[in-house]
Amino acid sequence: MTELSDRRLPVGIQSFYEIRENGYLYVDKTDLIWNLANKGRKYNYLSRPRRFGKSVLVDTLQAYFEGEKSLFEGLRIMELEKDWTKRPVIRLDMSRGGASANTLRSYLDIRFGEYEEVYGITPKATAGLADRFHGIMATACKQTGQQVAILIDEYDSPLQHSWLTPEHDACTAVYREVFAILKADDYYEKFVFITGITKFTQISLFSVLNNLSNISFDGQFAPLCGITQQEITDNFMPEIEAMGKKNGWTVEETIEQLKANYDGYHFSRHNMVDVFNPFSLVNSLADGEIKNYWASSGATSLLPKFVSDMEIRLKDFDNCALISPVIETSDVTGGGAELFLYQSGYLTIKGYMNGLYLLGIPNHEVRQALYETVLPALAMRRSGDIQSTQAFLYMHLMLGNVDEAKKYLKALVADVPYSNKKLASMDMEERYRLIMSTIFNAIGCRVEVEKMIATGRIDMVVELHGNVYVMELKLTKNGGIAAAERQIRDNRYAEPFKTPGHKVFALAVELDDMGKGLIDWKLVEE
């Protein structure tokens, strides 16, 4: 029996060769990869969020087309592939292309130069990048007698990072110049595969290469990137058991924790299989803990470029919708905030109805990362100024110290509705609900606003490590603590949450009429 210490998780490794040669755990998707390469379309585009294993997929395709049979021993593809033909592969990683036309041209110049050296090509001094790309494909095909596989990873990275800068049009012009050749050189190409996050349609990949098949919504390939729950139990049970033992959870509880934090992605209305974020999942299993890996990966850095007034609008994105032509075909620059949030992994498909995609935040990890990102803008303070206060609020909520927690919440709420002019059009209690729910979400609590139960509607329910805080909010002019306490008692708001493993705190909260903060709260005993 293999000891846990002998098992190697591929944390941060994007090389299929390294995974296979060095004995890292590999979730076998090679049957899907073979079908993609042999039974699908010739020209393919796959959009998946950041940190979803796109680069490992591209690396696996490269190994397959280069005929590296030994790397696939024991995998499902061995039952499907009989010939193992070695083909030339041209692979471009556009995440190395920078955010300007100069850095983009420099990267392509270097990469094409490497392939020209391989095939003994001396380009003319006057040759442009497109001519050189053509020359590499034509020469590779002629020398090997095989058509070329073209693999372009993270095609949109320079376009994302140059968006809203003067460099964007220049970067777009480079794309139009270079990649238009893909359609013209169809004769030399066996397979073209392009990955990205966001879709920019006004470049040659989409406007000129109009035979590019978008497989991002194809049910067959829904689990191509990411890890399903079945794949978790098939491949990672020793790690799950160890994680449960470390945290005092059963196997079932451990899986539920992993699901709540890293699962919930759906990529096709035709196949609504739940998909886990592989980066976060593997890191969590390696650490034996539940942490927020999404924020630490830099996944939220592009939000301000594509979503304005995020701090005010975030609550509306958790239950939103897009018509199918927008989500399936539109350009990210004109599709609205919801389209960017979906393509980038902040939202996922929750359902589909008559041409309408229903979207929502996929899991707790993404929710916390989003709220942590927007809290400084909503509070009108620098992130570093509130980190310690947030940490102490978290600690006291976790310990059930309601009086101490109140001090830190008051410090975070102080003057926010009053000073933030973006909140001016909102009802005062609605403003407070927004800022308080943002604070609680940002520190990692599970939050439900205006929670409906049989006896009424609770303003806010906040859960953290088994402690449930049931909050009724009242402005001073609406009766303050006394009115809130009466409503909690009359409607028995705390009752539905008194379940094994939970400690319930019912809090009557009084708020300043003019938006200057939390005045006081009282623990309502029943």
Side-chain angles (χ1 to χ4, degrees), residues 378-381 409-421 423 428 431-432 435 439 511-512 514-519:
L378 190 62
M380 301 183 71
R381 297 170 189 162
L409 182 61
K410 285 182 73 171
L412 289 168
V413 175
D415 293 334
V416 173
Y418 177 79
S419 57
N420 193 327
K421 303 306 181 186
L423 303 177
M428 187 60 69
R431 298 187 211 180
Y432 280 117
I435 184 61
I439 291 168
L511 303 164
D512 179 76
M514 300 302 295
K516 295 188 176 182
L518 187 156
I519 294 176

Side-chain angles (χ1 to χ4, degrees), residues 92-111 152-162 167 170-172 174-175 179:
L92 303 174
D93 178 3
M94 303 308 294
S95 67
R96 297 170 58 189
S100 71
N102 285 338
T103 56
L104 182 54
R105 286 185 178 278
S106 176
Y107 167 69
L108 292 172
D109 175 58
I110 292 170
R111 198 74 179 111
I152 303 174
D153 196 13
E154 301 288 1
Y155 93 91
D156 58 332
S157 182
L159 301 171
Q160 279 194 17
H161 288 92
S162 65
E167 284 293 328
C171 285
T172 299
V174 174
Y175 274 80
F179 294 112

Side-chain angles (χ1 to χ4, degrees), residues 269-336:
R269 62 185 176 90
H270 303 292
N271 182 2
M272 290 288 283
V273 61
D274 281 345
V275 178
F276 287 72
N277 179 322
F279 174 80
S280 298
L281 175 70
V282 171
N283 273 276
S284 180
L285 291 172
D287 293 340
E289 297 179 14
I290 299 294
K291 298 180 182 178
N292 193 316
Y293 299 97
W294 179 270
S296 64
S297 73
T300 56
S301 60
L302 289 170
L303 275 171
K305 282 193 173 188
F306 292 92
V307 186
S308 58
D309 296 331
M310 183 73 177
E311 69 274 21
I312 307 297
R313 303 171 64 191
L314 182 52
K315 61 183 175 58
D316 300 322
F317 294 134
D318 201 15
N319 184 19
C320 59
L322 287 175
I323 59 174
S324 55
V326 170
I327 195 170
E328 292 177 5
T329 64
S330 288
D331 189 300
V332 67
T333 61

Side-chain angles (χ1 to χ4, degrees), residues 31-271:
D31 52 340
L32 289 176
I33 291 170
W34 187 88
N35 281 323
L36 172 64
N38 293 278
K39 299 296 184 181
R41 307 288 179 86
K42 183 173 181 176
Y43 297 88
N44 299 275
Y45 167 69
L46 177 70
S47 170
R48 285 294 183 268
R50 181 183 172 89
R51 299 294 193 177
F52 251 81
K54 297 187 296 296
S55 295
V56 174
L57 170 61
V58 170
D59 208 59
T60 309
L61 281 165
Q62 179 173 352
Y64 168 70
F65 280 114
E66 289 180 343
E68 298 283 356
K69 181 179 179 180
S70 62
L71 295 179
F72 294 88
E73 291 294 341
L75 300 180
R76 294 171 187 154
I77 198 171
M78 298 301 291
E79 300 175 4
L80 300 168
E81 181 58 57
K82 305 304 179 185
D83 298 331
W84 291 100
T85 302
K86 178 178 175 61
R87 298 182 182 279
V89 174
I90 299 173
R91 178 176 175 179
L92 303 174
D93 178 3
M94 303 308 294
S95 67
R96 297 170 58 189
S100 71
N102 285 338
T103 56
L104 182 54
R105 286 185 178 278
S106 176
Y107 167 69
L108 292 172
D109 175 58
I110 292 170
R111 198 74 179 111
F112 288 168
E114 292 170 347
Y115 283 113
E116 286 163 345
E117 185 175 349
V118 169
Y119 295 109
I121 302 170
T122 303
K124 294 180 180 179
T126 57
L129 289 172
D131 291 331
R132 293 171 64 190
F133 197 6
H134 162 76
I136 294 166
M137 282 189 278
T139 303
C141 187
K142 182 178 180 180
Q143 288 185 8
T144 64
Q146 299 291 337
Q147 289 177 301
V148 181
I150 308 291
L151 307 177
I152 303 174
D153 196 13
E154 301 288 1
Y155 93 91
D156 58 332
S157 182
L159 301 171
Q160 279 194 17
H161 288 92
S162 65
W163 177 241
L164 298 182
T165 74
E167 284 293 328
H168 185 74
D169 287 344
C171 285
T172 299
V174 174
Y175 274 80
R176 289 199 183 108
E177 171 193 342
V178 176
F179 294 112
I181 201 69
L182 289 174
K183 184 175 182 180
D185 277 0
D186 176 81
Y187 174 80
Y188 301 111
E189 297 158 3
K190 172 66 176 178
F191 181 79
V192 176
F193 186 69
I194 300 164
T195 79
I197 298 173
T198 47
K199 190 175 181 183
F200 292 83
T201 59
Q202 300 306 309
I203 61 173
S204 62
L205 291 178
F206 297 100
S207 59
V208 176
L209 195 61
N210 52 18
N211 52 348
L212 188 64
S213 178
N214 185 356
I215 64 169
S216 307
F217 297 89
D218 190 317
Q220 178 185 1
F221 300 116
L224 183 60
C225 291
I227 302 174
T228 67
Q229 184 170 333
Q230 186 63 54
E231 289 170 335
I232 290 174
T233 55
D234 288 347
N235 292 275
F236 300 105
M237 192 54 71
E239 287 75 20
I240 291 171
E241 291 171 348
M243 186 178 192
K245 184 176 181 180
K246 179 178 179 179
N247 293 278
W249 302 327
T250 65
V251 167
E252 291 74 18
E253 288 170 338
T254 306
I255 292 173
E256 285 306 309
Q257 287 284 347
L258 293 168
K259 282 176 63 66
N261 283 275
Y262 312 124
D263 192 15
Y265 287 94
H266 308 106
F267 296 112
S268 172
R269 62 185 176 90
H270 303 292
N271 182 2

